[in-house]
Amino acid sequence: MTKNKYKYPILLFLILSFITLFIFVPYLITDTEFVLGWDMRTLYSSNFEALRNLLKSCIQNHELPFWSWYSFLGNDYYSSKLFYFQDIFDYPFALTNLSYYTVIKIQTYLKFIIAGFCFYSYARYNKYSYKTSIIGSIMFAFSAYGLQTMMHPFFASFFIFIPLYFKEIDRYIYENKSIRFILVVFFLFINNYYLFYSVTIFTVLYFIYRYYSYHSTIKGFFKNAIVLVGYYLIGMCMSAIVLVPEALSILSNSRIGNKSSTFIYDSIIPYIDYLTGIFMPTSVLSNRNTAITPIYSYVSANDSVMAVFLWASSCLSLLFFQFFNNKKDKIKNIVAFTIITLLALVPFLSSFMHGFSEPSFRWLQSPTFLLITCTLPFIENLDTINNKKLTVGLIITLITLLFSPIILSIISGYKFFDMLDDYKLILVFIPFVVLTYFCLKYRKQTALMIVIICELCLTSYLSFYACPYFSGFNKELIKQVHNVLGNENDYNNYLLAIDNNNVQQFYRTYVDPTSVYWDFSLNLNYDFNIMGLISYDSTYNSSANDMKLIDPNIESYLPWVFDIRNKDIMNLVSVKYAIVTEESQVPFTNYHYVSDYNYFKIYENDDYVNLGKTYDSVISYEQYQNDTSIINNTIICHEEDMDAISNYISDTKSEFTNVVYTNNTLYAEIDCNKRSFGVISVPFNKGWTITINNKKVTPYSVNGGLIGIPLDEGYNCIYLSFVPYGFKQGAILSLIGTIILIITIVIKRIVKH
């Protein structure tokens, strides 16, 4: 590499680092923690601690991180979270002792840098100059979508790499090279299959768009497309070891399902937001939790946040109308953007792009990338800019900045005067629009770069620390919250010390979320390795759907938010202790005081049952009358299992004893006078293999999604081991995909020589 080639990557690194200073320095020099909204404190920080604890346990016990006992009542962590909620950047940091909020600052900085360099690689491959490549790179990294997605770490870890994916599509079109494409597909599937779904759908449009741009004809298109699909499937097959268990897990819970079969949104706001999204720096406005937020972060009837993040500096806004200028690109660009617009503005199609979940604009990451790439030819050769259309871009951008908040406030019924302080944030971008206009009009590329850098510095600051919602937590508060019950195992060790019986018992703890956790997070149980009763868990174990049949009230404000307060269900799932600040908060019917712990009071449930017991009657869910008082003496099962379970029902009254569990296993014993049927307070999952006296048995989903098992007369030694459903099949497919990749490499080398 020549000295000149080193110069520009170093310059890009310095520019990216400089812009990030406007994000991180305010947090570093004040007593403010880097907590970016509700999801970070509710989901990401606790999931990071869960991953850290699982990895430590894996190293100590030599077990893979398959099952988590601390995710609500229990969950297939490997399938539902390890590659969905957990950021690939987390793994090396999870093995350190750094706090999450230190880790997230380091990770976020690295992601901005990587995002810039991934786009730089794409631009340089497509023969753009160093300056143009740098401008495009910072526009991508600090676009409204880029700034927004950094607030959701596991989304960001996917978004930053998509330029490499589209680069490899270009390499296939231009050079017929495919090996890197296969590897990128494999990597992105493992990284985040959820987001890669929408990118995959968008790939069809991108491939047509780029193929026609390069060949100026569709001749040979279908042949090349089919071959590329084949390479894609190889990469997909290689990722099957994680993809198959993930897909089977997510398909079984309530997140999947077309939540909107309509063709019209229930408000005009999403339409206006979309139309203005290219001209408004919406990352500055959509998260403020102030009067202006609802009109730029609309919440649909399906609880989906409809926020549009297409802006990527005033340069993109002003150049947008250039895309429809010359005859060669005009029709192609009109068709492409018409399709994108239809996908966004028709709820059914938007739901399709969101994986048949609720409609969302989350998939606009791909159009954002495409929009930025469309600006590169004009930045590369400023003389190709049509000044009349540039003036049109200036007028439209200024009108949007000045009047769209007023129009949206009138439509939505909010008082515009309540938004005046936020409106000023919009007005500060007008000078940048004007300066960018003159840089483009008078063909000043270096000046253009400087203006864009300054604008993105301001946008970054306003999107993070200047957002009141992201600067409301001081470091001392965060420290207190995450240490409210001591270190991660202090509470568990305390219970073992005060009661020797706890060594061989399976029990959960009710933690009062308001007085103990201060309503800071529903997932703080992860931080302390507590098997609790509350959770925000969007990829929950699907058997929890049956628990909702027992008591719909366990579902809180969303279908994947759980809060068990029912006394009967607490007895069913082996709740032994309650941590509260005063006795009136104790949820049990019969209980006694145990001791104080860390300024809190611990009470014990006198009706506690260790792991579970046998039952003497059975009914179906259809016969169940919503009376939870019967669930501790009656089996409630699915109609198709009634006959099989009835054969084991007897009047035996026995409880499980000598319970021991590790990451992926559980051992228990029970003595029965007769053949009977028992329920254990572990969520049913197809990944469990259960043996009784060394004989494999068929488990049943009963009493709200718990495991029911037939028991023999006499002594029963029960052993449960967990391997994610689909893991073995996925491993075989991954091996097949890897072999096919190796064969493909060998064949290509033979052909080449």
Side-chain angles (χ1 to χ4, degrees):
M1 183 180 284
T2 65
K3 182 178 179 181
N4 194 45
K5 289 183 179 180
Y6 281 117
K7 171 184 174 182
Y8 288 98
I10 292 173
L11 177 61
L12 175 60
F13 173 79
L14 293 175
I15 293 173
L16 291 168
S17 299
F18 177 74
I19 297 174
T20 60
L21 290 177
F22 289 82
I23 295 174
F24 297 112
V25 168
Y27 289 97
L28 296 175
I29 64 177
T30 63
D31 189 37
T32 306
E33 196 55 273
F34 194 68
V35 183
L36 305 181
W38 191 82
D39 277 346
M40 183 169 286
R41 61 189 174 94
T42 301
L43 283 175
Y44 310 138
S45 60
S46 294
N47 280 332
F48 177 78
E49 294 302 328
L51 176 65
R52 171 179 276 167
N53 293 331
L54 274 174
L55 291 181
K56 287 180 179 178
S57 182
C58 290
I59 294 171
Q60 293 171 359
N61 301 325
H62 307 292
E63 290 185 294
L64 292 173
F66 287 156
W67 184 264
S68 169
W69 296 103
Y70 312 113
S71 175
F72 190 42
L73 300 179
N75 201 351
D76 176 358
Y77 195 88
Y78 180 89
S79 301
S80 69
K81 288 190 173 54
L82 200 57
F83 297 98
Y84 179 71
F85 266 123
Q86 288 305 338
D87 194 323
I88 63 165
F89 287 80
D90 280 348
Y91 304 138
F93 288 102
L95 299 176
T96 71
N97 292 320
L98 294 173
S99 73
Y100 174 77
Y101 297 104
T102 298
V103 168
I104 197 62
K105 285 192 284 284
I106 298 172
Q107 287 185 357
T108 304
Y109 168 71
L110 291 175
K111 290 172 188 177
F112 277 120
I113 300 298
I114 293 171
F117 274 93
C118 286
F119 193 93
Y120 183 81
S121 175
Y122 171 89
R124 289 296 297 143
Y125 175 77
N126 282 282
K127 309 300 182 184
Y128 291 108
S129 68
Y130 292 112
K131 284 187 178 181
T132 300
S133 299
I134 289 174
I135 292 173
S137 298
I138 62 176
M139 287 171 62
F140 176 76
F142 299 99
S143 62
Y145 197 101
L147 292 168
Q148 167 67 19
T149 200
M150 290 299 173
M151 301 163 192
H152 302 277
F154 70 106
F155 286 158
S157 291
F158 177 88
F159 171 75
I160 62 178
F161 292 111
I162 63 171
L164 298 184
Y165 172 73
F166 290 114
K167 172 188 171 183
E168 293 310 316
I169 293 177
D170 288 353
R171 290 182 80 246
Y172 172 75
I173 294 173
Y174 303 158
E175 304 177 59
N176 195 30
K177 292 185 176 180
S178 58
I179 302 303
R180 291 184 193 173
F181 174 77
I182 295 172
L183 295 175
V184 170
V185 169
F186 163 71
F187 173 72
L188 291 181
F189 259 124
I190 286 182
N191 194 333
N192 196 306
Y193 70 95
Y194 170 71
L195 290 180
F196 196 37
Y197 165 83
S198 63
V199 174
T200 298
I201 303 301
F202 187 83
T203 300
V204 177
L205 177 62
Y206 183 84
F207 184 79
I208 297 171
Y209 184 89
R210 298 295 285 181
Y211 187 91
Y212 184 78
S213 296
Y214 181 68
H215 294 288
S216 297
T217 178
I218 61 170
K219 183 179 180 181
F221 167 79
F222 291 104
K223 176 183 176 182
N224 282 276
I226 291 172
V227 173
L228 185 66
V229 169
Y231 291 136
Y232 175 93
L233 292 176
I234 295 173
M236 182 179 178
C237 188
M238 290 171 62
S239 70
I241 193 170
V242 295
L243 184 61
V244 171
E246 288 168 345
L248 292 174
S249 175
I250 197 70
L251 286 171
S252 64
N253 71 31
S254 66
R255 291 307 301 269
I256 296 298
N258 188 1
K259 302 295 179 62
S260 177
S261 59
T262 64
F263 290 87
I264 301 175
Y265 289 114
D266 56 4
S267 170
I268 197 174
I269 293 178
Y271 297 99
I272 298 178
D273 283 349
Y274 178 80
L275 295 175
T276 61
I278 296 173
F279 309 99
M280 297 284 295
T282 44
S283 62
V284 174
L285 308 169
S286 60
N287 297 300
R288 296 183 64 79
N289 255 17
T290 57
I292 204 168
T293 298
I295 65 174
Y296 289 107
S297 188
Y298 178 74
V299 180
S300 72
N302 292 317
D303 295 311
S304 180
V305 179
M306 309 294 291
V308 178
F309 303 102
L310 288 170
W311 182 90
S313 82
S314 296
C315 183
L316 170 59
S317 303
L318 295 175
L319 290 177
F320 177 72
F321 294 99
Q322 304 292 325
F323 305 161
F324 315 105
N325 187 27
N326 65 67
K327 294 181 179 179
K328 179 182 178 182
D329 295 330
K330 185 175 182 179
I331 295 177
K332 175 190 67 176
N333 288 344
I334 289 174
V335 171
F337 290 118
T338 299
I339 293 173
I340 292 170
T341 300
L342 287 174
L343 290 173
L345 297 185
V346 177
F348 175 79
L349 298 178
S350 187
S351 172
F352 169 71
M353 292 299 291
H354 197 215
F356 292 102
S357 185
E358 58 276 353
S360 172
F361 291 147
R362 187 172 284 159
W363 60 272
L364 292 180
Q365 58 189 338
S366 297
T368 295
F369 171 81
L370 182 60
L371 283 168
I372 296 171
T373 62
C374 287
T375 67
L376 297 184
F378 301 101
I379 297 173
E380 178 78 355
N381 188 355
L382 296 174
D383 290 333
T384 61
I385 294 175
N386 182 307
N387 283 338
K388 289 184 178 179
K389 283 190 168 56
L390 184 64
T391 302
V392 171
L394 173 67
I395 295 170
I396 296 297
T397 302
L398 292 177
I399 290 175
T400 302
L401 291 172
L402 289 169
F403 297 108
S404 73
I406 300 173
I407 295 171
L408 281 167
S409 66
I410 294 172
I411 292 173
S412 59
Y414 292 96
K415 295 179 180 179
F416 176 71
F417 291 104
D418 293 339
M419 306 178 186
L420 284 178
D421 288 340
D422 295 321
Y423 184 63
K424 295 173 185 176
L425 298 178
I426 300 173
L427 299 182
V428 299
F429 285 91
I430 291 177
F432 291 103
V433 174
V434 175
L435 287 172
T436 302
Y437 170 79
F438 283 112
C439 290
L440 293 171
K441 182 176 181 178
Y442 295 106
R443 313 326 192 215
K444 304 293 183 181
Q445 191 182 60
T446 301
L448 175 66
M449 181 189 295
I450 294 171
V451 172
I452 291 175
I453 291 171
C454 293
E455 184 179 36
L456 294 178
C457 286
L458 176 66
T459 309
S460 298
Y461 171 74
L462 293 177
S463 298
F464 284 83
Y465 185 78
C467 173
Y469 193 47
F470 295 157
S471 56
F473 298 99
N474 62 57
K475 294 180 180 179
E476 184 60 29
L477 172 64
I478 298 299
K479 182 179 179 181
Q480 290 175 350
V481 167
H482 288 279
N483 291 277
V484 66
L485 296 180
N487 295 321
E488 61 185 27
N489 281 312
D490 284 357
Y491 170 75
N492 292 327
N493 293 333
Y494 179 79
L495 294 180
L496 293 175
I498 63 174
D499 187 349
N500 292 331
N501 292 324
N502 287 335
V503 174
Q504 292 184 320
Q505 289 187 339
F506 182 92
Y507 54 86
R508 295 186 168 91
T509 298
Y510 168 80
V511 182
D512 186 77
T514 301
S515 63
V516 179
Y517 288 159
W518 307 329
D519 286 330
F520 182 84
S521 170
L522 293 173
N523 289 323
L524 280 176
N525 292 331
Y526 292 174
D527 293 53
F528 308 110
N529 285 343
I530 293 176
M531 292 199 295
L533 304 173
I534 54 176
S535 181
Y536 177 106
D537 189 357
S538 68
T539 51
Y540 61 89
N541 197 73
S542 61
S543 62
N545 289 325
D546 283 354
M547 187 63 74
K548 296 177 186 179
L549 298 177
I550 299 294
D551 181 8
N553 292 323
I554 72 164
E555 178 185 306
S556 189
Y557 52 89
L558 288 171
W560 47 91
V561 177
F562 301 98
D563 185 1
I564 294 178
R565 296 177 181 265
N566 184 294
K567 299 176 182 180
D568 298 316
I569 294 180
M570 287 185 185
N571 294 335
L572 175 70
V573 298
S574 302
V575 177
K576 185 175 183 179
Y577 295 106
I579 303 178
V580 296
T581 55
E582 56 184 50
E583 187 175 357
S584 62
Q585 299 162 355
V586 177
F588 310 137
T589 301
N590 304 302
Y591 61 90
H592 65 270
Y593 169 76
V594 176
S595 67
D596 284 1
Y597 173 80
N598 276 23
Y599 309 106
F600 302 110
K601 298 181 183 299
I602 297 179
Y603 291 85
E604 184 173 339
N605 181 13
D606 292 336
D607 298 319
Y608 160 74
V609 176
N610 182 16
L611 185 64
K613 60 181 184 180
T614 58
Y615 287 68
D616 58 8
S617 62
V618 59
I619 62 173
S620 67
Y621 282 104
E622 288 75 14
Q623 295 170 318
Y624 176 64
Q625 300 295 316
N626 299 319
D627 178 12
T628 60
S629 65
I630 72 169
I631 62 176
N632 287 287
N633 53 48
T634 302
I635 298 290
I636 305 172
C637 68
H638 294 281
E639 185 69 37
E640 61 269 22
D641 298 328
M642 275 282 290
D643 291 340
I645 293 175
S646 296
N647 291 331
Y648 285 90
I649 295 298
S650 69
D651 58 0
T652 296
K653 296 290 185 179
S654 301
E655 296 183 8
F656 292 95
T657 60
N658 300 325
V659 182
V660 179
Y661 59 95
T662 63
N663 279 15
N664 308 313
T665 66
L666 183 143
Y667 171 88
E669 300 173 358
I670 190 169
D671 278 311
C672 302
N673 295 329
K674 301 177 182 178
R675 191 172 76 160
S676 53
F677 194 88
V679 178
I680 59 178
S681 53
V682 174
F684 180 87
N685 188 292
K686 291 182 179 179
W688 286 112
T689 298
I690 302 176
T691 61
I692 298 179
N693 297 331
N694 295 319
K695 295 180 181 179
K696 187 175 179 180
V697 300
T698 300
Y700 298 89
S701 177
V702 298
N703 287 40
L706 301 181
I707 294 176
I709 50 176
L711 298 167
D712 294 328
E713 180 181 350
Y715 173 77
N716 290 267
C717 174
I718 298 101
Y719 182 75
L720 284 72
S721 62
F722 184 80
V723 175
Y725 180 56
F727 178 81
K728 294 177 181 178
Q729 296 87 336
I732 293 171
L733 286 174
S734 288
L735 179 61
I736 293 172
T738 303
I739 293 172
I740 295 174
L741 173 65
I742 295 171
I743 293 172
T744 303
I745 294 172
V746 172
I747 291 175
K748 281 184 172 291
R749 289 194 173 183
I750 292 173
V751 171
K752 181 178 179 180
H753 289 290

